Amino acid sequence: MNIFVAGASGAIGQPLITELVRKGHTVTGMSRSEAGARRLREIGAAAAMVDAFDAAAVESALRQSRAEVVIDELTSLPKDPRDMPSYQPGDRKLRLEGGGNLHRAALACGARRYLQQSTGFFLKAGEGLADESEGLALDASPDVALSAQTYTTLEARVLQPGAMEGVALRYGFFYGPNTWYHPDGGAAEQLRQQQLPLIGKGQGLWSWVHIEDAALATVAALDCEPGIYHVVEDDPPPMSVWLPAFAKSVGAPPPARVTEEQARQSAGEDAVYYQTRLRGASNAKAKQVLGFKPRRLEWL
């Protein structure tokens, strides 16, 4: 198939495009930089140097690619997770406005299917692992709720009835090369500097996915039934389990422990939410429909 990937320079872009090319698809990756375009050409894709906010240029690039499937992996994330608060407005704008340009262009160009990056970790609170019928945590702490609202809007856009088949891929936290959760990633450096303590009981469940497993699931979603899929590992561990193990695996000292109130005063309500209230996701549907076989979280 002819496939257009937006966000091709992000963490998932390279493994995704590599797998698409390996499967024999004709791939065009969208990048804003010459360096990003050069990397795309090196792995066998065509490169479209386009700014997602330029609606006319996005549509022109899509027409030129003759895309049958469009994959929206648009993000604007910092290398260091500590910088996320300052990046969040730009990231939200890119996903909503830039992604809106991409979605409208895909409709105008007659694309058959649209795959949308969504979230498998900002799930509505409840008992047990959440399946795909569960909504997102719109009533969470402020920044988590804002992110949940963004993803809810993206899911509504891609899943609306119409000319295109829509698939929302609710990825877990990415780990592996070029992510925050890797020995040379931002979270590892936080731990080495002893700037990422364990909050309270650390009972929040984190749903993870290796970046290469996420790419494989995305390729499998080219032909699946439209809808929502949780692309996460089998057994989401609580923060109290994975954080000390991750610290040990990257050569960092054990994380300090602070109370929820101490964390609330020093880091804010969102930090407490991440560590104590996140709900895990069930991947049963992805395993059954996509043949998804995620690896076990490496540092466990």
Side-chain angles (χ1 to χ4, degrees):
M1 288 184 280
N2 293 329
I3 299 173
F4 190 93
V5 180
S9 298
I12 193 173
Q14 184 168 323
L16 173 57
I17 290 174
T18 298
E19 182 63 16
L20 288 169
V21 170
R22 191 184 73 81
K23 291 283 190 180
H25 299 294
T26 299
V27 184
T28 300
M30 192 172 91
S31 176
R32 288 184 296 175
S33 71
E34 179 55 46
R38 186 168 56 251
R39 286 193 296 272
L40 290 171
R41 297 185 191 105
E42 288 171 353
I43 59 178
M49 288 188 62
V50 178
D51 188 323
F53 294 112
D54 186 338
V58 170
E59 182 171 336
S60 176
L62 268 175
R63 287 195 185 280
Q64 187 173 345
S65 74
R66 305 194 309 277
E68 300 163 74
V69 178
V70 176
I71 304 177
D72 182 349
E73 303 283 2
L74 289 169
T75 60
S76 179
L77 304 176
K79 290 186 178 296
D80 189 326
R82 288 169 289 192
D83 295 330
M84 192 59 214
S86 64
Y87 272 71
Q88 188 179 52
D91 182 62
R92 176 178 167 84
K93 183 178 180 181
L94 178 61
R95 293 176 193 253
L96 294 177
E97 296 182 21
N101 289 336
L102 183 68
H103 190 264
R104 284 187 292 273
L107 285 168
C109 295
R112 173 179 63 82
R113 171 166 292 219
Y114 195 98
L115 275 58
Q116 174 67 61
Q117 180 180 142
S118 189
T119 178
F121 43 87
F122 292 145
L123 299 168
K124 188 176 179 181
E127 294 298 319
L129 300 182
D131 65 18
E132 285 80 357
S133 68
E134 192 62 88
L136 304 181
L138 299 174
D139 59 350
S141 57
D143 283 349
V144 173
L146 184 61
S147 292
Q149 182 186 71
T150 298
Y151 285 115
T152 298
T153 301
L154 296 180
E155 290 188 358
R157 183 167 71 198
V158 74
L159 297 174
Q160 63 184 324
M164 283 192 301
E165 302 164 349
V167 178
L169 297 170
R170 288 180 173 176
Y171 298 117
F173 287 99
F174 287 151
Y175 75 96
N178 300 312
T179 74
W180 291 339
Y181 300 97
H182 193 252
D184 59 1
E189 189 58 30
Q190 271 187 283
L191 282 163
R192 294 189 192 104
Q193 295 178 12
Q194 296 185 281
Q195 294 180 354
L196 186 56
L198 187 63
I199 298 172
K201 296 180 180 179
Q203 70 269 34
L205 297 181
W206 281 49
S207 291
W208 295 90
V209 65
H210 191 281
I211 198 74
E212 294 169 5
D213 293 341
L216 291 174
T218 305
V219 175
L222 295 175
D223 296 305
C224 68
E225 284 293 315
I228 299 173
Y229 293 85
H230 287 169
V231 181
V232 300
E233 67 157 1
D234 292 337
D235 186 21
M239 189 90 181
S240 60
V241 170
W242 76 257
L243 185 63
F246 181 60
K248 183 177 180 180
S249 74
V250 299
R257 287 181 173 267
V258 298
T259 67
E260 290 188 26
E261 187 54 38
Q262 287 171 325
R264 214 170 263 116
Q265 293 177 8
S266 63
E269 193 64 45
D270 291 294
V272 176
Y273 193 98
Y274 269 94
Q275 292 215 25
T276 65
R277 295 184 62 192
L278 286 188
R279 183 181 181 187
S282 166
N283 65 6
K285 181 181 177 182
K287 292 177 76 171
Q288 179 181 357
V289 178
L290 303 180
F292 183 49
K293 297 178 181 178
R295 69 197 75 184
R296 174 70 167 151
L297 189 60
E298 288 179 349
W299 56 87
L300 295 184

